[in-house]
Amino acid sequence: MVKTTDSSPKLKRQDWIDAGLKVLAESGVEAVRVEPLAKLMKVTKGSFYWHFKDRQELLDALLAEWVKLQTNSIIERVEAIKADASTKLLRLFEIAIDDDGKEENAIRAWATNDSKVAAVVAQVDRKRLEYTRDLFVQIGFTLPEAIVRARMAYYSLVGEFTIGTRTDRAERLAEVRMEHAILTATSVNSQLSIRNSQ
Amino acid sequence: MVKTTDSSPKLKRQDWIDAGLKVLAESGVEAVRVEPLAKLMKVTKGSFYWHFKDRQELLDALLAEWVKLQTNSIIERVEAIKADASTKLLRLFEIAIDDDGKEENAIRAWATNDSKVAAVVAQVDRKRLEYTRDLFVQIGFTLPEAIVRARMAYYSLVGEFTIGTRTDRAERLAEVRMEHAILTATSVNSQLSIRNSQ
DNA sequence: TTTTTACCATACGGTAGCGTATTGACAGTG
DNA sequence: CACTGTCAATACGCTACCGTATGGTAAAAA
């Protein structure tokens, strides 16, 4: 916590962005409107239009901010640990469910009706998927299998976010560990996988 | 195709619902507004307010319609086939990816900011999850494992919908079959599963 | 044929939000 | 002290949409 809201003196661009993100996560893009936002911040829109050309400029800033904040952090946090790929993968799952996904959900909903946003989100998805896939490759799966398993892992998380009814962290943790076990297990009745031991 | 749009004579309540669903799927709830909708249907809102008390009544109808249309159909189609649980599961996957998920996506986004909608969607999710879980149980997994596997399967699909960049049907089919293989495989290196043959 | 019924148009008043223009307050700098 | 830059208030015009009221029309029923 650095300075959140209502430190009465002067607002800066970043303050609007922070507030915007909050509203975005809470109520969707359609709800981030300049006048209500101004009311929320206890100023008038006179302030807003000093910092931003128009509403669209704020929206652009929100998207950029989101990319900046999430894109690297998780992957970097996982890579920071010294461990084998399988452990990293588990760690990735664990970290991922620490987020309630509200912000990301709102952005995905937004992306549905805005191709510019969709492109950005797609880029982020690609990056995260590739990272996950590489982990599976390192674990020892063939590329095609690594791809499918990475997708299952990632899509599951996204799906869990968009469904988003889970609250019990302990339960989620247990499940995520089971998922990890299932996804890293060598199948015994199929022609699909040859795991090179480790 | 029964009567879609623009059969010039008289509009009925259902016509508005159909058009509403289309807009909903295409552009989200926020976009289903009565005047634009009326323009789309080449009438004035005078017509709309004859069929509906207000905008909310249409929205309610849209939600109800969605529930009515999807809730049973897929499960029933799967149950219609005579086959073992594993085959049914595969069939379920195959049928599921035939939908582009746009409508469902829009509804989920909507649910984010409307608890009434959220409750309905949660109910649908529960039903579908239970069905999937039962399939895994029938295949021979223990209940806890069936639950997790069902979640992985279902969440993956939901995740794929919300990410929604896939177009190549053949590719999706191939992947879904791989997923099926992975999820029905007995793990060999874990304490998790005992598959009772079949 | 008259009368309903079902559907639609038109016109209205109201609210919410956008963006602009202008002026004010105040802090720091010269 | 005067000046300048930074942020904020106020007031304005404009558009999109909501919901209502009222009247019109064409087809079905009587």
Side-chain angles (χ1 to χ4, degrees), chain B residues 70-174:
Chain B
Q70 64 68 47
T71 245
N72 305 308
S73 64
I74 294 189
I75 293 182
E76 281 167 4
R77 276 169 65 193
V78 171
E79 276 305 305
I81 67 172
K82 271 280 185 186
D84 65 356
S86 179
T87 307
K88 280 182 181 171
L89 187 66
L90 179 57
R91 200 76 199 87
L92 179 62
F93 288 1
E94 291 171 349
I95 292 179
I97 62 170
D98 269 348
D99 190 336
D100 65 358
K102 278 195 175 181
E103 199 171 294
E104 184 158 329
N105 262 17
I107 301 232
R108 293 200 126 91
W110 181 11
T112 293
N113 321 315
D114 185 325
S115 56
K116 221 170 49 183
V117 179
V120 171
V121 173
Q123 181 59 37
V124 169
D125 282 334
R126 206 171 308 128
K127 184 168 176 181
R128 306 209 281 219
L129 262 175
E130 282 170 6
Y131 178 71
T132 310
R133 178 203 63 193
D134 290 347
L135 248 29
F136 277 106
V137 168
Q138 286 170 43
I139 289 176
F141 290 103
T142 63
L143 190 58
E145 259 220 81
I147 290 174
V148 175
R149 283 171 198 256
R151 267 208 248 277
M152 288 178 67
Y154 185 57
Y155 286 10
S156 285
L157 279 174
V158 173
E160 179 164 2
F161 281 165
T162 99
I163 289 177
T165 37
R166 327 303 296 297
T167 45
D168 186 336
R169 186 176 142 71
E171 185 185 309
R172 289 180 55 168
L173 263 179

Side-chain angles (χ1 to χ4, degrees), chain A residues 30 109 112-113, chain B residues 21-32 102 106:
Chain A
E30 294 297 338
T112 293
N113 322 315
Chain B
L21 278 182
K22 228 172 263 177
V23 173
L24 175 64
E26 208 49 49
S27 321
V29 226
E30 294 297 336
V32 11
K102 278 195 175 181

Side-chain angles (χ1 to χ4, degrees), chain B residues 17-62:
Chain B
I17 294 179
D18 293 344
L21 278 182
K22 228 172 263 177
V23 173
L24 175 64
E26 208 49 49
S27 321
V29 226
E30 294 297 336
V32 11
R33 272 142 205 282
V34 357
E35 276 168 329
L37 205 57
K39 175 167 281 183
L40 193 87
M41 304 181 70
K42 297 179 195 294
V43 292
T44 64
K45 60 183 172 168
S47 169
F48 178 87
Y49 284 101
W50 197 89
H51 294 287
F52 299 89
K53 177 181 165 293
D54 54 20
R55 175 172 178 263
Q56 189 55 49
E57 190 175 307
L58 171 64
L59 295 185
D60 292 347
L62 293 186

Side-chain angles (χ1 to χ4, degrees), chain A residues 19-155:
Chain A
L21 278 182
K22 227 172 263 177
V23 173
L24 175 64
E26 208 50 49
S27 321
V29 225
E30 294 297 338
V32 10
R33 273 144 204 286
V34 357
E35 276 165 329
L37 205 58
K39 175 167 281 184
L40 192 89
M41 305 182 70
K42 298 178 194 292
V43 291
T44 63
K45 60 182 171 169
S47 170
F48 178 87
Y49 284 102
W50 196 89
H51 294 287
F52 299 88
K53 177 181 165 291
D54 54 19
R55 176 172 178 261
Q56 189 55 49
E57 190 175 305
L58 171 64
L59 295 186
D60 292 347
L62 293 186
L63 183 60
E65 185 75 5
W66 174 71
V67 171
K68 181 177 134 202
L69 288 183
Q70 64 67 48
T71 242
N72 305 310
S73 65
I74 294 188
I75 293 181
E76 282 167 4
R77 277 169 65 193
V78 171
E79 276 304 306
I81 66 172
K82 270 279 185 188
D84 64 356
S86 179
T87 306
K88 280 182 182 171
L89 187 67
L90 179 57
R91 199 79 198 85
L92 179 63
F93 288 1
E94 291 172 349
I95 292 179
I97 63 169
D98 270 347
D99 190 337
D100 65 359
K102 277 195 177 182
E103 198 171 295
E104 184 158 327
N105 262 17
I107 300 231
R108 292 201 126 90
W110 181 11
T112 293
N113 322 315
D114 185 325
S115 57
K116 220 170 49 184
V117 179
V120 171
V121 174
Q123 180 60 38
V124 169
D125 282 334
R126 206 171 308 128
K127 184 167 176 183
R128 306 209 282 219
L129 262 175
E130 281 170 6
Y131 177 71
T132 310
R133 176 203 64 193
D134 289 347
L135 248 30
F136 277 106
V137 168
Q138 287 169 43
I139 289 175
F141 290 102
T142 62
L143 190 58
E145 257 219 83
I147 290 173
V148 175
R149 283 171 198 257
R151 267 209 248 278
M152 287 178 68
Y154 185 57
Y155 286 10

